[in-house]
């Protein structure tokens, strides 16, 4: 899987910034694959580097999308700053001369971490990448109860107490001129509907089928690992059903 790490500076970037970020990407590469060479995007007082860039990573000018968005014609493009979070499963890094934005989907399916101080703003889909950049580690003991009880870091903690997590359905905005950050969160409303179980099932199947229709995956270029669980078998069923429907279309 590809990862992203970016570094913004209030003033001029260090001369070796790109090389440092690429070296970090090399350190966090999995040891069971031959990763592609890191790709750098350089801008005014910032650099973004993608670890193992592949075709599924979308780049538009200075913005990067990991994952997939389901864009409708009436919605603004995913890369447009100061726009709403699109539907999908993703981590988005938006950027222009004046602002940088980190955007998560409704469940933060691809977690983004960030660090901010008086001179730099770091963001990455890897905590380790940020820690390697800072060249120091400050353990967050608030994660201990979560590790002992659930085996996870919990909903907010990181391994390093200086690193923050972008919440689900949220946008972290860096104002480069004022050198401030703020968080905006989209409210997700759950409205119960009184209807029969069969109608709920029909509605759920329709929503899932519509999702696969919009993903537009070329099945000839992908392999789906099957664990045997309901989720992987369900994904296979809907992918094959969608492929059959496309084949039958005139």
């Amino acid at each position: 899987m590809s990862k992203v790490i970016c570094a913004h500076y209030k003033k001029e970037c260090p001369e070796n910034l790109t090389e440092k970020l690429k070296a970090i990407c090399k350190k966090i590469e999995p040891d069971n694959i031959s990763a592609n060479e890191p790709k750098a995007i350089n801008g005014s007082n910032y650099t973004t580097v993608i670890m193992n860039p592949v075709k599924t990573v979308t780049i538009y000018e200075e913005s990067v999308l990991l994952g997939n968005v389901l864009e409708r014609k009436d919605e603004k493009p995913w890369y447009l700053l100061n726009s709403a979070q699109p539907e999908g499963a993703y981590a988005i890094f938006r950027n222009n001369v004046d602002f940088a934005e980190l955007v998560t989907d409704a469940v933060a399916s691809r977690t983004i971490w960030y660090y901010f101080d008086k001179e730099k703003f770091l963001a990455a889909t890897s905590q380790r990448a940020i820690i390697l950049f800072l060249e120091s580690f400050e353990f967050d003991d608030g994660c201990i109860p979560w590790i002992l009880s659930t085996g996870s870091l919990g909903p907010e903690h990181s391994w390093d107490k200086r690193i923050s997590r972008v919440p689900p359905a949220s946008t972290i905005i860096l104002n480069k001129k004022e050198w401030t950050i703020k968080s905006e969160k989209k409210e997700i409303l759950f409205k119960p509907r009184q209807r029969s179980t069969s109608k709920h099932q029909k509605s759920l199947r329709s929503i899932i089928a519509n999702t696969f229709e919009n993903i537009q995956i070329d099945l000839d270029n992908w392999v789906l690992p099957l664990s045997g669980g309901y989720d992987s078998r369900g994904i296979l069923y809907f992918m094959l059903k969608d492929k059959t429907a496309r084949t039958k279309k005139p």
Side-chain angles (χ1 to χ4, degrees), residues 6-7 10-11 16 28 58 69 84-86 92 94 102 106 138 140 152-153 155 176 181 229-230 244 246:
C6 61
K10 184 177 182 179
K11 298 180 180 180
N16 65 339
I28 64 176
T58 306
V69 296
Q85 298 97 359
I92 296 176
R94 296 172 177 161
L102 313 174
E138 296 182 17
D140 184 357
S152 71
L153 291 173
K176 298 180 182 180
I181 58 172
Y230 285 113
T244 302
R246 293 185 200 177

Side-chain angles (χ1 to χ4, degrees), residues 65-175:
L65 164 67
L66 292 187
N68 189 61
V69 296
L70 307 176
E71 292 184 301
R72 300 194 304 265
K73 292 182 179 180
D74 60 334
E75 289 182 330
K76 295 179 180 179
W78 66 267
Y79 52 81
L80 194 62
L81 275 79
N82 196 30
S83 61
Q85 298 97 359
E87 295 295 329
Y90 55 76
I92 296 176
F93 297 75
R94 296 172 177 161
N95 191 60
N96 65 16
V97 176
D98 299 318
F99 296 94
E101 294 181 352
L102 313 174
V103 189
T104 56
D105 60 47
V107 294
S109 55
R110 297 204 176 192
T111 307
I112 304 177
W113 306 91
Y114 67 96
Y115 167 91
F116 179 70
D117 65 21
K118 293 180 179 180
E119 65 174 21
K120 58 186 174 294
F121 176 74
L122 310 174
T125 54
S126 164
Q127 293 186 59
R128 186 184 173 207
I130 296 177
I131 293 169
L132 287 169
F133 190 96
L134 296 174
E135 300 179 354
S136 62
F137 178 65
E138 296 182 17
F139 180 60
D140 184 357
D141 56 13
C143 69
I144 294 176
W146 286 98
I147 291 292
L148 294 176
S149 60
T150 68
S152 71
L153 291 173
E156 297 179 357
H157 294 287
S158 65
W159 290 112
D160 191 305
K161 61 185 179 182
R162 299 168 298 176
I163 300 174
S164 301
R165 173 178 178 263
V166 182
S170 296
T171 303
I172 301 297
I173 303 168
L174 169 68
N175 185 319

Side-chain angles (χ1 to χ4, degrees), residues 36-69:
N36 296 319
E37 285 298 310
K39 178 180 178 59
I41 304 171
N42 297 299
S44 176
N45 293 351
Y46 94 98
T47 295
T48 296
V49 174
I50 304 168
M51 185 213 79
N52 189 34
V54 294
K55 292 182 179 179
T56 54
V57 177
T58 306
I59 302 172
Y60 183 86
E61 295 181 349
E62 299 179 9
S63 299
V64 180
L65 164 67
L66 292 187
N68 189 61
V69 296

